[in-house]
Amino acid sequence: MKKLLSIAAAMMLLAGAQIANVQTANAQSQIPQGSVLYALPQTVINVQVTFEKSEFTPGPYARYAQKYLGSQPKTASETRYAVKAVKVVPTVEADPSSRYTVALPEKGNGGLNFLSFCRQGLIAIPDGFAGVPAATTFSTTDPEDIFRGQDPLGNLATVNTTLYKSVQNENGDYEKVPVQQSQTVEKSLEKKAEETANIILNLRQKRLDIITGDTDATFSGEAMQSALNEMARLEEQYMGLFYGVSVKTEEVRTFAVVPRSGVKNYTVGKMGNTSLSMEVAAEPLTAPMLDSSKGKSGAIIYYRVPATATCRVMEGGKILTESRVLVYQLGDKVSFPLSY
């Protein structure tokens, strides 16, 4: 009997503990009427990076470069990134893991003190967001548009074909008579590559003739330079059909890092072959001086005193930028009486 009573008592205690836990959770999830909800601030370090994007597109005649121009080009597409500029923009937002409620006293300067802490940024309103919108730009190059319409002699060719038909002569016999027929066909890729290579070699020869004076045409100084510049432009354009084209554009990305206590190194982000990291080293805080006087009774609020940290953005072992920022979550959490 005693054993049964002991088991029943244990079950009642367990049920009572479960009910108490539920009530505590419900009480924490509900904001008391007349109370103000606030949060402690946290710092977000926004890293705005300007990348130079280099896209290499192989030429459509790359496989024939060795045959007609004597050298082997790259035949694989490639995209690479390089960092051009880095900007660090720290912003402050409410820390969702540190939210509190406080009943402001009806008398005294409690309400004014609370608003003063808000203005100083030592406490934060949960729905207040001081972040900056990040504008992200992307650049995309369509490989099909790079070489469109650059065939110097077009895509079509006229092919003459000799056909034979039987014609009855004066003697009544039939004999075959040749008939010429013209037909428009699409050029093969190798045929277009051969024609383009011949034009490149011809441009080089003409440029050499002009420079050495081995030409019947006469050029003044300005006309000669204009002719040479145009020949160089055409050669570069046609060479791209064999050796490919590199297009450089800029892209802007913004990465957000939220520093955490006890963590020094962070991965900012990665773009292609480029990877950026960040080091946030907080300076040590001195212990606060203790006031020997007794604290006054009444409502108190918690607030954060930020720590000063050195923020370095790095690419590999190279420091791209270094700045000092105030990081709230790495500082001290202290309290302040509202009613006095």
Side-chain angles (χ1 to χ4, degrees):
M1 185 68 179
K2 291 182 178 180
K3 186 176 182 181
L4 292 175
L5 290 175
S6 299
I7 295 174
M11 293 178 63
M12 291 178 64
L13 289 173
L14 178 61
Q18 291 177 345
I19 293 173
N21 289 337
V22 172
Q23 290 177 347
T24 302
N26 291 335
Q28 290 178 350
S29 63
Q30 296 177 356
I31 302 174
Q33 187 175 4
S35 297
V36 176
L37 176 65
Y38 70 97
L40 301 186
Q42 70 175 5
T43 301
V44 179
I45 301 178
N46 301 284
V47 183
Q48 189 179 76
V49 187
T50 301
F51 293 96
E52 183 181 70
K53 180 181 179 182
S54 299
E55 292 179 286
F56 173 77
T57 304
Y61 305 158
R63 70 177 72 173
Y64 304 109
Q66 180 69 41
K67 180 177 180 179
Y68 293 111
L69 296 176
S71 59
Q72 185 66 37
K74 293 193 297 183
T75 57
S77 300
E78 185 181 51
T79 301
R80 297 188 64 82
Y81 291 88
V83 178
K84 289 196 65 178
V86 177
K87 184 178 181 181
V88 175
V89 183
T91 56
V92 178
E93 64 184 23
D95 187 346
S97 63
S98 298
R99 304 197 307 163
Y100 300 90
T101 60
V102 61
L104 298 181
E106 297 179 359
K107 298 180 180 181
N109 298 323
L112 294 177
N113 292 335
F114 184 85
L115 293 177
S116 176
F117 275 84
C118 286
R119 285 195 299 269
Q120 295 177 56
L122 300 178
I123 62 176
I125 303 301
D127 62 351
F129 180 71
V132 292
T136 303
T137 62
F138 299 89
S139 301
T140 303
T141 304
D142 188 351
E144 294 184 359
D145 292 336
I146 295 177
F147 305 106
R148 194 186 304 277
Q150 291 192 13
D151 298 316
L153 298 180
N155 193 45
L156 300 177
T158 301
V159 178
N160 294 321
T161 307
T162 302
L163 302 178
Y164 293 89
K165 68 178 181 177
S166 298
V167 179
Q168 188 176 17
N169 57 22
E170 296 176 353
N171 298 326
D173 299 326
Y174 287 90
E175 59 183 13
K176 292 182 179 181
V177 178
V179 178
Q180 297 293 325
Q181 185 180 30
S182 296
Q183 187 178 10
T184 301
V185 297
E186 183 180 358
K187 297 177 184 177
S188 66
L189 191 65
E190 183 173 1
K191 181 62 177 178
K192 291 190 289 186
E194 181 184 3
E195 292 177 348
T196 304
N198 290 334
I199 292 176
I200 292 174
L201 297 176
N202 190 33
L203 284 170
R204 292 176 179 176
Q205 183 60 49
K206 286 185 176 180
R207 184 166 65 242
L208 181 61
D209 292 342
I210 293 174
I211 294 174
T212 59
D214 188 13
T215 177
D216 295 335
T218 57
F219 295 91
S220 62
E222 185 175 344
M224 177 184 291
Q225 189 60 49
S226 298
L228 294 175
N229 290 342
E230 180 62 16
M231 288 180 180
R233 186 191 70 80
L234 290 173
E235 181 182 349
E236 182 180 2
Q237 175 182 327
Y238 298 149
M239 287 286 286
L241 295 171
F242 290 92
Y243 295 96
V245 173
S246 293
V247 178
K248 291 186 178 182
T249 55
E250 286 189 2
E251 293 188 4
V252 178
R253 297 283 185 93
T254 301
F255 306 94
V257 175
V258 181
R260 302 185 302 275
S261 179
V263 181
K264 185 177 180 180
N265 298 308
Y266 303 85
T267 298
V268 175
K270 186 175 182 180
M271 284 285 288
N273 58 292
T274 302
S275 180
L276 299 179
S277 61
M278 178 187 291
E279 179 183 286
V280 180
E283 297 180 358
L285 295 173
T286 58
M289 296 180 61
L290 298 178
D291 190 351
S292 58
S293 62
K294 295 182 179 180
K296 297 182 179 180
S297 62
I300 64 170
I301 60 170
Y302 293 100
Y303 64 96
R304 271 179 174 163
V305 179
T308 302
T310 301
C311 174
R312 299 183 182 91
V313 179
M314 297 174 290
E315 181 183 6
K318 178 183 178 183
I319 299 177
L320 301 180
T321 185
E322 181 176 329
S323 58
R324 289 165 60 84
V325 296
L326 295 178
V327 183
Y328 280 88
Q329 57 269 36
L330 301 184
D332 281 338
K333 183 180 78 170
V334 291
S335 61
F336 181 83
L338 286 179
S339 56
Y340 64 92

